[in-house]
Amino acid sequence: MSDLTTPTGIEDRLRQLVNDLASAQLTLARVRDVEVDAKHTYEAARRAALFSGQCPKVTRGGYTTAERDAWVDGQVAVQRRAYDLAVAKREAAQDLLRVVRDQAMVVMALANSVRTAYQVAGRG
């Protein structure tokens, strides 16, 4: 970890944060693509189940819409879980990007304070 009480330490930390930001952005882009793929897979599986010959047909005195939907949901549970996990990973990647960005903002503010202190002390 860099010494954040010196201009050199702050510069080192800012360089690391730039790398961290780039990495977090790449990760976010990658998990967004995975999320989109998972969503399309889930929706395709849901349509296939809904139009399957085995899908209960809603009729008066027969199956209800809720029963049909429950059957369809049971058929696509694995794809739904994969999609939900992809959403959670994308949200985590967004959180990481925000955290790294916030850290960069704090270090930049600290850099201003340290720069001022060094100038006042005649060392900067």
Side-chain angles (χ1 to χ4, degrees), residues 4 9 19 30 34 48 64-66 76 86 88 92 99 103 108-109 112 116:
L4 298 181
N19 291 334
R30 190 171 46 253
V34 170
T64 65
T65 302
V76 299
V99 166
Q103 288 175 346
M108 286 190 298
N112 289 334
T116 301

Side-chain angles (χ1 to χ4, degrees), residues 6 9 11 13 21 24 26 33 37 39 46 52 57 61 67 75 78-79 82 88 99 101 105 109 111 116:
T6 67
E11 290 295 324
R13 182 65 180 131
L21 278 169
L26 289 173
D33 290 344
D37 290 343
K39 180 179 181 183
R46 184 160 176 73
S52 162
K57 304 298 178 220
E67 290 170 323
Q75 301 301 303
V78 171
Q79 293 87 350
V99 166
R101 185 191 61 222
M105 298 301 290
T116 301

Side-chain angles (χ1 to χ4, degrees), residues 4-124:
L4 298 181
T5 62
T6 67
T8 304
I10 288 175
E11 290 295 324
D12 289 343
R13 182 65 180 131
L14 284 172
R15 270 192 288 285
Q16 180 61 48
L17 285 165
V18 167
N19 291 334
D20 293 347
L21 278 169
S23 176
Q25 288 170 333
L26 289 173
T27 298
L28 179 57
R30 190 171 46 253
V31 297
R32 278 183 175 153
D33 290 344
V34 170
E35 178 186 4
V36 168
D37 290 343
K39 180 179 181 183
H40 287 284
T41 300
Y42 163 66
E43 289 174 348
R46 184 160 176 73
R47 283 188 304 275
L50 192 57
F51 294 114
S52 162
Q54 297 173 331
C55 182
K57 304 298 178 220
V58 176
T59 58
R60 186 180 301 267
Y63 290 105
T64 65
T65 302
E67 290 170 323
R68 181 206 55 207
D69 291 348
W71 183 88
V72 169
D73 289 345
Q75 301 301 303
V76 299
V78 171
Q79 293 87 350
R80 177 59 196 226
R81 184 174 191 283
Y83 172 54
D84 289 344
L85 288 172
V87 169
K89 287 179 183 178
R90 189 245 321 137
E91 290 172 350
Q94 285 176 319
D95 290 345
L96 175 61
L97 184 59
R98 279 190 288 271
V99 166
V100 173
R101 185 191 61 222
D102 291 349
Q103 288 175 346
M105 298 301 290
V106 168
V107 172
M108 286 190 298
L110 184 58
N112 289 334
S113 295
V114 169
R115 189 177 309 113
T116 301
Y118 269 67
Q119 288 171 347
V120 168
R123 296 171 52 189

